[in-house]
Amino acid sequence: MLSNKLPLVLLLGWAVSVSASPSNSTDSGDDACSANLWSRQDCGFLGITQEGCIQRQCCWSPSVAPVPWCFQKKNEDYVCTADVVTRRDCGYLGISAQECHDRKCCWDPKQDNLNSPYCFLRQHSCKGYGVSSATTTANGVQVQLDLNGGSQGCARFGEDIPRIKVIVDFETKSRIRVRILDRDHDRYEIPESALPNPQASAKVLGSLDYDFKYTENPFTFSVVRRSTGEAVFQTQVPGMDSLVYENEYLEISTAVPDDANIYGLGEVVSGFRRDSRGTRQTMWARDAATPVDENVYGSHPFYLEMRKGTAHGVFLRNSNGMDVVISPAKLTYKVIGGVLDFTVFLGPSPADVINQYTELIGRPHMPPAWAMGFHQCRYGYINIDQVETVVNTYQKEDLPLDGVWIDIDYMDKYKDFTFDELRFPESRIKKLAESLAAKNQSMVLIVDPGIPVEPGYEPYDSGMAQDVFIKTKDGKPIEGRVWPGQTYFPDFFNSNETWSWWERHLQETRDKIGTNVFPWIDMNEPSNFCNGQCTSGQQTQDQPQNPAKQDATVNLKYSINNAGRQAPLSEKTLSEDAVHKNGLSMYDTHNLYGHMEARATHQAMTNLLPNTRPFILSRSTFPGTGSSAAHWTGDNWSEWDHLYFSIPGVLSFGLFGIPFTGSDICGFIGNTTEELCLRWHQLGALYPFARNHNTLGANPQEAYVWPTTVLPAARQALRIRYSLLPYYYTLFDRASRVGTPLWQPLFFRYANDPLTLKIDHQFLLGDSIMVSPALYKGQIQVKAYFPGDGRWFNMWTHECIIEHDSHSGVQATEDRSHRYKFLSAKADGEPIPMSIAGGHIVPIQAPQNTVAETRAQPVSLVIALDERGNAKGEVYVDDGRSLVNSDWARVNFEMLGGEKLVSSVSLNKDAKAPAAQSFHARVGHSSEIEKITILGLNFAKAGGESGAKTVFKANNHSWKRKVSECHEEKTRKGVRIDCGQRVLVEETANKFNSFLTLNVNGKEVPVGEGKGRKGQDDVLGYAWAVDETLGSLTLTGLKMDLFTEWFVQWKLN
């Protein structure tokens, strides 16, 4: 047995040494197709082809004798019990039961959520692999495996790899890595240049959170959470092959609960919680206008699962095409290349899992402050005059704006790094950029990867000279077609020539236009208007969406469910046999193209302006892209469903380590409506990345298009966002340090509340605020769920929406109906429903029309007390632009017992800064705290009026007792009521109606006679106001220094 400081390695349920003896395997020399001519068992039908026979995993041998040419392997049973996940199509759309039987196939017309075929092939069992030896390593175990079943093996989609190995690394206390590799040949793995690849270090010290266990024959393994003994990853799954490892097909499954709570696996337009009854998530980067439940722009083979209040995560480090299939009680990987390289994260909280995941793939980047503001864009601005008009109208209508965007309209014939001198003259764009810079605003210009094949066009000429383009297998640049026509595509895996060539052209644009100009990298799946390689003489063709009677019996390779219909891998992208300069194939690296472009662009921008945070927006992403770029959810639709879909989209990318994500506000495709655009501005103003954007030919959708409805609502929504900028900035800082997303599902903070697991129409903004948006046409109120058992307050009216539940803990069987409340959400004038949780402090500033102006405003604090009168919060401040800051401050606030507020400061000052220059001037942020608002000062109130006996529900039944049946006892806190079944301590409400004393940093402030409810100190300028009804206190005129420690203390009557 291993040291108890390492995970326990178990075999077949009992502890063994990791140097286990080899297991017995079927003789590898056995020929399963050497059956006697006359004993052949038919495996096909009249007219079956050799390919069709091989697909059935059968033997093929033509003969002049009247015997089957396609026949079953010896000692194999071909059965119809294949799980829906493993069914292989044996027909076509519309095949009848009789025709299916004539093909000697299986027929099961029951519908399932995976749309599995009714007519499917019989299959023989796959015997998997057996352990031949196992040894300990410096930080784990290595297991050698040999194929069971002789030379034929599984042969699901090709020849099995006979000898493989499993390398298990105990990387950290909460992270274990399991790699399954070919023992005899190197296979493609994601290179370290694309994704950090931490090597196993010395033995991990201390107790670990997991054990690794395996069975010997067939080999299966599990990762077990030590604290509970539950397997969080278990590959022994009834009815499924234990392990299939072929050249272009890898399959492995893990057991999950029947109604599993799984999140992640993308990119996809869907609900946030993946359907446990049937989800087939394909990963193959694809330019598609956000169809529901299909693969789109990015690939993220990571999921987070919640079980009984704890979380774990699983990452498959593989960039090849794949399907990940969720069905009752299992999750199955079907991968068409590379290796199986799993990392399991033990959490145990959801935030812990994302911290552990982003520690591995790379932390999210910290955006520049200006990029946290609002952005305006559209495809189809006619000329520079129209863009200038948009900017001026934003200013005229008092709408905040920080980023001004121009789509491909500005280019000369859609060629990168050029300007249309008639419609978008370079001089006019430069003038606009200068005007924006003077107001601390920025410009973003789109750049696509496709470079026109045009001698005389400098990027093409220099690109050819420096050999920067992806090649065909014949060594010539691969040709595609996008906006400018015939194009070549930069090879971003060539980090020498291509990256320097790319940087030089980005630099030329900045030199021409200005340093406040940033790139938006689009079309980087990579998108192609052809299917694979196409020359100038070829026509662009679309694949048929519903191919008629497409027979599936000749498909020898596994086809991932690309486009929801097993479309060719090269559809609307480059051929998968294209190659990089380093020899890698696009078959393996396709999903990394946009990610590598983002990395190249990020390095270029940091080289051009050292120690300055770049802003980059990328459409295609992969694990780790968040270290370099932001993301938007692509070409969404101006429809109500897509308003809702934006919430799961942003939440999912928070899990993927790309928290700086948003959706096109009001929708990109189609014409929005007045009401939809109003609601979208309300929600979209809170996206981590907030941008209004729509397409060519669609009606304008800037907020001011509807001056009496959308305009005032958008102005209100954007002022909410800008007022919350210190809170957003602090959340972005936390994301860059530990990965915690800005938008979080409710279960992130309320993991033990089972109702939160299926809610994706509400979300948390950080830890403190819950947003409950109106998402449907004509909606005037929102039925919101308030998780946990604590207090919640209306962000705008400061009313207490729901009090603390008098009993502690959330039980799965508990009636939670009292935690639902209807919130008013009228479109006419009312803000989006937002609630602040008791126990939290939120910093705000007076909103201005740019981020820079807002940062110069004094800070205020909104404090929502919990049931004990306590609250905490923080604010982080730096200069908003530097990659590495010498000047920064982290200020923590804590409220104690409802009567004392204390700040503590961690401050770092640039030792080289001029002595005369103040800290707040160097960071470009106000140092003043002007106002404090405390909510819920009647914090001992437990529901009902003071002194009333609370009636509560238990076990779904109202619980009441006559007073004569109960024993009451007065206590210091209130009344203790013992009725034999449950004990309720009802605390008497601390109702108050006036101010008694105020002490600021040890300085007593006289309240004065008659000024207990509202008053002002004429000398110091401090003012106070008590609202007895709301139980709130407001202090103004404080003018305290944000960056020094202080306290404020008071007493209330």
Side-chain angles (χ1 to χ4, degrees):
M1 186 178 295
L2 299 180
S3 165
N4 61 9
K5 292 186 178 181
L6 290 177
L8 189 64
V9 179
L10 295 182
L11 171 64
L12 293 175
W14 62 83
V16 298
S17 166
V18 293
S19 57
S21 59
S23 62
N24 293 325
S25 303
T26 303
D27 180 9
S28 61
D30 183 27
D31 185 355
C33 289
S34 62
N36 181 281
L37 188 66
W38 303 106
S39 63
R40 292 181 179 181
Q41 297 185 54
D42 197 357
C43 196
F45 57 90
L46 185 63
I48 191 171
T49 64
Q50 181 177 357
E51 290 79 8
C53 181
I54 294 172
Q55 187 188 35
R56 292 169 179 245
Q57 302 167 283
C58 295
C59 304
W60 177 263
S61 180
S63 174
V64 296
V67 295
W69 292 11
C70 182
F71 54 95
Q72 295 181 4
K73 297 176 184 177
K74 288 193 308 182
N75 303 319
E76 293 286 6
D77 291 326
Y78 290 75
V79 296
C80 287
T81 57
D83 189 282
V84 293
V85 174
T86 63
R87 287 181 182 177
R88 299 178 66 178
D89 201 353
C90 188
Y92 54 87
L93 186 64
I95 192 173
S96 67
Q98 185 58 52
E99 188 173 1
C100 181
H101 291 311
D102 290 344
R103 291 177 173 225
K104 292 186 172 54
C105 292
C106 309
W107 178 261
D108 181 1
K110 291 194 298 290
Q111 291 187 339
D112 59 73
N113 284 33
L114 294 173
N115 295 318
S116 57
Y118 291 179
C119 182
F120 52 95
L121 298 174
R122 299 173 184 269
Q123 293 191 70
H124 66 69
S125 63
C126 175
K127 298 178 178 60
Y129 290 82
V131 174
S132 59
S133 67
T135 56
T136 56
T137 62
N139 198 30
V141 59
Q142 187 169 140
V143 184
Q144 312 295 320
L145 304 180
D146 292 328
L147 179 68
N148 292 327
S151 60
Q152 295 299 318
C154 294
R156 292 296 192 227
F157 292 94
E159 185 176 346
D160 295 88
I161 295 174
R163 290 158 35 92
I164 60 178
K165 60 184 175 182
V166 181
I167 301 175
V168 183
D169 290 322
F170 310 144
E171 292 190 330
T172 71
K173 179 179 185 295
S174 54
R175 188 177 88 211
I176 178 174
R177 184 178 184 183
V178 181
R179 291 181 288 163
I180 306 178
L181 312 173
D182 188 336
R183 273 158 63 187
D184 300 315
H185 303 92
D186 289 336
R187 292 174 60 83
Y188 166 75
E189 298 182 56
I190 298 175
E192 193 164 1
S193 62
L195 189 64
N197 186 19
Q199 300 298 313
S201 58
K203 184 180 295 185
V204 180
L205 299 178
S207 178
L208 302 185
D209 295 338
Y210 49 81
D211 290 315
F212 177 79
K213 304 180 182 181
Y214 69 93
T215 56
E216 192 171 40
N217 201 345
F219 172 79
T220 62
F221 72 89
S222 60
V223 176
V224 178
R225 187 187 297 277
R226 273 189 173 180
S227 62
T228 63
E230 183 177 25
V232 298
F233 197 85
Q234 165 63 274
T235 68
Q236 188 173 23
V237 181
M240 301 298 294
D241 294 336
S242 58
L243 174 61
V244 180
Y245 210 98
E246 298 168 359
N247 189 44
E248 292 186 343
Y249 183 70
L250 312 174
E251 181 185 308
I252 195 168
S253 299
T254 179
V256 298
D258 280 341
D259 191 25
N261 295 297
I262 293 174
Y263 312 86
L265 301 173
E267 183 177 1
V268 67
V269 179
S270 73
F272 182 52
R273 180 179 180 267
R274 309 315 302 268
D275 189 347
S276 61
R277 299 166 301 170
T279 292
R280 179 176 276 113
Q281 179 59 54
T282 300
M283 297 186 199
W284 188 253
R286 170 173 169 246
D287 178 3
T290 58
V292 177
D293 290 331
E294 294 181 12
N295 55 304
V296 286
Y297 310 102
S299 175
H300 291 272
F302 168 81
Y303 71 84
L304 180 147
E305 183 184 353
M306 294 295 299
R307 294 189 196 174
K308 302 173 185 176
T310 60
H312 65 271
V314 179
F315 171 49
L316 174 58
R317 184 189 170 98
N318 185 299
S319 63
N320 289 83
M322 70 180 76
D323 289 335
V324 181
V325 186
I326 305 171
S327 58
K330 59 187 172 297
L331 180 149
T332 302
Y333 294 89
K334 296 168 168 282
V335 190
I336 60 173
V339 301
L340 295 177
D341 185 349
F342 292 101
T343 303
V344 181
F345 310 91
L346 274 294
S349 75
D352 290 335
V353 171
I354 304 307
N355 182 9
Q356 293 153 15
Y357 180 51
T358 56
E359 180 184 30
L360 177 69
I361 65 170
R363 299 295 192 193
H365 72 289
M366 181 67 177
W370 72 266
M372 300 177 196
F374 193 68
H375 304 258
Q376 177 61 51
C377 181
R378 80 159 294 163
Y379 171 29
Y381 284 135
I382 297 172
N383 52 35
I384 190 65
D385 292 332
Q386 193 170 25
V387 178
E388 290 174 344
T389 298
V390 169
V391 175
N392 293 334
T393 307
Y394 261 84
Q395 185 173 0
K396 173 188 172 185
E397 298 295 350
D398 199 24
L399 285 171
L401 182 66
D402 271 273
V404 177
W405 297 52
I406 310 179
D407 210 311
I408 58 175
D409 310 284
Y410 78 90
M411 300 177 183
D412 176 23
K413 300 175 182 178
Y414 305 130
K415 294 183 290 188
D416 283 348
F417 314 116
T418 66
F419 302 92
D420 184 330
E421 288 300 326
L422 291 177
R423 299 187 303 124
F424 289 88
E426 179 185 317
S427 60
R428 293 281 302 280
I429 294 178
K430 179 178 182 179
K431 184 178 179 181
L432 175 59
E434 291 172 345
S435 173
L436 294 171
K439 294 177 286 187
N440 293 304
Q441 295 168 308
S442 297
M443 177 182 288
V444 182
L445 299 178
I446 196 170
V447 183
D448 291 336
I451 299 297
V453 182
E454 183 180 312
Y457 168 55
E458 199 283 330
Y460 167 80
D461 292 339
S462 60
M464 291 296 290
Q466 293 177 248
D467 194 23
V468 304
F469 299 116
I470 296 175
K471 303 285 182 51
T472 66
K473 57 186 177 183
D474 298 324
K476 299 178 181 178
I478 189 166
E479 192 169 344
R481 184 181 302 134
V482 282
W483 299 115
Q486 298 305 117
T487 50
Y488 292 161
F489 294 82
D491 177 3
F492 290 108
F493 268 98
N494 178 1
S495 57
N496 293 320
E497 292 84 359
T498 303
W499 284 30
S500 62
W501 168 87
W502 187 247
E503 178 181 322
R504 180 166 61 82
H505 287 94
L506 291 172
Q507 179 179 7
E508 288 173 356
T509 298
R510 297 196 107 200
D511 290 345
K512 292 175 181 177
I513 306 301
T515 58
N516 64 326
V517 178
F518 298 87
W520 161 24
I521 52 177
D522 192 12
M523 304 287 285
N524 54 353
E525 292 71 32
S527 180
N528 182 11
F529 295 166
C530 299
N531 299 323
Q533 163 89 345
C534 64
T535 61
S536 57
Q538 288 180 276
Q539 296 295 315
T540 303
Q541 296 183 354
D542 289 333
Q543 289 288 323
Q545 294 296 312
N546 294 294
K549 198 172 180 178
Q550 181 178 356
D551 201 317
T553 60
V554 295
N555 189 5
L556 298 182
K557 293 186 178 182
Y558 180 76
S559 296
I560 60 173
N561 199 36
N562 189 26
R565 52 185 167 82
Q566 298 181 339
L569 297 181
S570 61
E571 182 173 303
K572 297 301 180 65
T573 190
L574 299 184
S575 301
E576 62 269 28
D577 61 358
V579 293
H580 299 279
K581 188 170 185 178
N582 62 7
L584 296 179
S585 165
M586 286 291 286
Y587 181 86
D588 298 314
T589 65
H590 167 85
N591 285 331
L592 292 168
Y593 189 84
H595 171 74
M596 293 302 293
E597 183 188 19
R599 293 202 65 196
T601 307
H602 187 272
Q603 177 170 301
M605 299 301 289
T606 54
N607 287 344
L608 296 179
L609 281 178
N611 200 32
T612 301
R613 297 177 209 163
F615 172 77
I616 301 159
L617 185 76
S618 178
R619 188 167 74 177
S620 187
T621 59
F622 191 77
T625 303
S627 297
S628 303
H631 174 66
W632 89 107
T633 60
D635 296 348
N636 61 354
W637 294 74
S638 297
E639 297 174 357
W640 287 95
D641 282 352
H642 281 254
L643 173 62
Y644 153 71
F645 282 134
S646 72
I647 299 176
V650 174
L651 291 176
S652 293
F653 273 89
L655 303 185
F656 298 152
I658 311 178
F660 198 17
T661 293
S663 293
D664 285 345
I665 293 173
C666 300
F668 179 74
I669 300 174
N671 293 318
T672 192
T673 65
E674 187 174 11
E675 183 185 2
L676 175 60
C677 201
L678 185 154
R679 292 303 194 189
W680 216 319
H681 272 94
Q682 288 183 327
L683 176 62
L686 299 176
Y687 291 153
F689 168 65
R691 179 184 71 163
N692 183 322
H693 180 43
N694 67 329
T695 191
L696 182 71
N699 293 337
Q701 62 186 35
E702 293 84 2
Y704 52 74
V705 171
W706 299 274
T708 62
T709 55
V710 181
L711 175 60
R715 187 184 295 122
Q716 179 188 61
L718 291 176
R719 285 176 176 168
I720 289 172
R721 181 191 182 85
Y722 278 64
S723 71
L724 288 169
L725 280 173
Y727 183 63
Y728 269 87
Y729 200 84
T730 304
L731 294 177
F732 271 114
D733 167 68
R734 183 173 67 172
S736 71
R737 290 183 291 108
V738 296
T740 307
L742 280 72
W743 277 28
Q744 303 167 18
L746 302 191
F747 65 74
F748 253 60
R749 285 202 64 238
Y750 304 95
N752 290 314
D753 186 340
L755 293 187
T756 63
L757 298 173
K758 297 183 180 181
I759 294 176
D760 63 1
H761 54 277
Q762 298 172 254
F763 59 91
L764 298 174
L765 177 57
D767 296 339
S768 308
I769 297 172
M770 183 171 70
V771 183
S772 307
L775 300 173
Y776 311 108
K777 184 177 181 180
Q779 192 172 2
I780 61 172
Q781 62 181 1
V782 174
K783 185 180 180 181
Y785 178 69
F786 289 86
D789 57 10
R791 314 168 93 197
W792 288 89
F793 297 84
N794 187 307
M795 190 82 178
W796 314 122
T797 67
H798 296 171
E799 295 173 297
C800 184
I801 301 170
I802 190 167
E803 274 290 356
H804 171 70
D805 285 350
S806 53
H807 63 283
S808 61
V810 177
Q811 305 300 320
T813 58
E814 180 186 357
D815 181 3
R816 302 282 293 165
S817 59
H818 68 289
R819 303 294 296 186
Y820 286 92
K821 300 293 180 181
F822 284 97
L823 307 179
S824 183
K826 297 184 180 69
D828 184 14
E830 291 190 345
I832 187 170
M834 297 173 68
S835 312
I836 180 170
H840 291 266
I841 300 176
V842 176
I844 61 174
Q845 289 175 293
Q848 306 298 305
N849 285 344
T850 65
V851 169
E853 291 174 310
T854 302
R855 283 168 59 91
Q857 302 303 307
V859 173
S860 297
L861 302 178
V862 179
I863 303 172
L865 301 183
D866 65 13
E867 67 278 7
R868 296 179 181 84
N870 300 329
K872 290 183 178 181
E874 70 170 330
V875 64
Y876 172 77
V877 177
D878 60 26
D879 66 11
R881 61 181 182 274
S882 298
L883 281 169
V884 179
N885 277 279
S886 299
D887 288 305
W888 56 265
R890 191 177 309 281
V891 185
N892 290 281
F893 308 103
E894 184 172 9
M895 174 71 98
L896 304 169
E899 293 189 336
K900 185 175 184 179
L901 176 64
V902 179
S903 85
S904 58
V905 182
S906 296
L907 191 68
N908 191 81
K909 294 184 178 181
D910 186 354
K912 299 179 181 179
Q917 190 179 33
S918 66
F919 176 82
H920 79 87
R922 294 198 302 275
V923 296
H925 194 285
S926 172
S927 62
E928 182 178 318
I929 293 183
E930 164 63 20
K931 179 180 178 181
I932 296 172
T933 303
I934 305 100
L935 313 181
L937 279 164
N938 51 345
F939 53 83
K941 187 174 180 179
E945 292 301 318
S946 176
K949 294 176 178 59
T950 301
V951 176
F952 58 90
K953 293 183 178 181
N955 298 326
N956 297 319
H957 297 286
S958 295
W959 182 83
K960 297 183 180 179
R961 287 291 181 126
K962 294 179 182 178
V963 174
S964 60
E965 299 175 1
C966 302
H967 170 69
E968 296 188 8
E969 177 187 353
K970 289 186 178 181
T971 68
R972 181 175 57 85
K973 292 185 176 181
V975 180
R976 182 180 186 273
I977 307 172
D978 186 349
C979 297
Q981 293 183 3
R982 294 182 67 171
V983 175
L984 168 67
V985 175
E986 178 178 322
E987 298 178 352
T988 303
N990 275 345
K991 291 231 172 184
F992 64 93
N993 57 22
S994 62
F995 211 41
L996 292 178
T997 63
L998 175 63
N999 185 313
V1000 180
N1001 279 334
K1003 184 181 298 184
E1004 290 284 347
V1005 180
V1007 173
E1009 189 70 27
K1011 294 184 179 181
R1013 293 195 176 190
K1014 187 175 183 179
Q1016 180 174 343
D1017 182 272
D1018 295 332
V1019 177
L1020 299 173
Y1022 302 151
W1024 55 89
V1026 172
D1027 189 316
E1028 180 182 357
T1029 303
L1030 294 178
S1032 69
L1033 167 66
T1034 302
L1035 303 173
T1036 57
L1038 299 173
K1039 295 183 172 55
M1040 293 183 296
D1041 190 341
L1042 175 65
F1043 304 124
T1044 61
E1045 296 184 348
W1046 47 261
F1047 74 89
V1048 180
Q1049 192 166 8
W1050 56 83
K1051 288 191 179 297
L1052 301 168
N1053 184 25

